[in-house]
Amino acid sequence: EPTSRYSLPEAGSENSVPMISQEDVRNFYKWRYQPRNATLVIVGDITASEAQNIAERSFGDWRGTETETCSVSDKPARQTRALHVVAKPEAKQSEVRIGNVGIPRQHPDYHATVVMNAVLGGLFTSRINLNLRERHGYTYGAFSHLDWRRQAGPFVVSTAVQSEVTAPAAKEAVSEIERIREERVSTDELSLATSYLDGVFPIRYETTDAIAGALAALVEFRLPDDFYDTYRDHVRAVSTDDVLRVAQAHLHPEALQLLVVGDPETILDPCEAIGFGRATLYDTEGNLI
């Protein structure tokens, strides 16, 4: 929604950043940086008692009150398709993003959705990449991902293509989103996705830094303590029926948003012709043209 914090750039803008005062920073710090909101994660060659002693020495006298949980609207701004074009005159390539509002990290469909996305666009051997790169030669790579948040984050397909093939590349990506909602994936596709996710899982947590990040994620997303112990079992349990179900539930072809950064003279008319309606045109600062 236009009034939601999610509709604003994460890092601010040239207009908003200079407006932040020293007093704003102080007040934000007092409001959010409280011991009841904080979690200390220590990973390394250290015992639990040693870690506790360090924590007590460093933070034992830190006092404060618990602050309320922040919540903003994560509802989509529209329920219909739309085309957004950021004008980069004479650009030889276009950056393409296609997506819709997804699901929160704690959603019970998390594991099935991760597997579904792996088949669709999460791996090099996924459908979107094989279509756009191998079959049509539109790009060096095209992938999809879900941005996991406490509240609903976006599902996004991303690729870069030559300006002249922007519209057909976007059309093929949309066709793959529609196809995975219409028919079950093959057992071979499912096995490839689950085997990869299962096999690569331990590699992601080989370093102390990675383990610390994983433990922090348990807190950040309020996950159960056994999340990592059971992750591979949950992934292996995903069926072709599960993939079809979550694709139908969480991919929304009728509400997809198509964003293209490129040369409007080359891409505007072809992109408007593939079913997203008349384009809204922006400059590179996000201002309407």
Side-chain angles (χ1 to χ4, degrees), residues 194-229:
T194 56
S195 295
Y196 174 84
L197 293 170
D198 184 349
V200 78
F201 180 79
I203 302 173
R204 293 176 175 169
Y205 307 107
E206 289 184 323
T207 67
T208 53
D209 177 63
I211 294 170
L215 295 176
L218 292 180
V219 179
E220 178 183 0
F221 296 116
R222 304 185 180 101
L223 302 176
D225 290 343
D226 66 349
F227 170 77
Y228 296 106
D229 296 325

Side-chain angles (χ1 to χ4, degrees), residues 5 8 14 54 57-58 63 77 79 83 96 105 110 144 153 160 181 195 243 251 268 277 281:
R5 176 64 183 86
L8 303 174
E14 288 187 15
I54 291 172
R57 288 199 309 269
S58 302
R63 298 288 183 267
Q79 300 289 350
L83 169 61
V96 179
R105 178 61 184 77
Y110 170 77
S144 64
R181 299 178 74 256
S195 295
V243 170
L251 301 180
L268 203 57
L281 196 60

Side-chain angles (χ1 to χ4, degrees), residues 40-43 45-61:
L40 175 63
V41 177
I42 300 176
V43 179
D45 184 13
I46 188 172
T47 66
S49 60
E50 290 171 340
Q52 183 170 339
N53 289 335
I54 291 172
E56 290 174 347
R57 288 199 309 269
S58 302
F59 301 104
D61 60 350

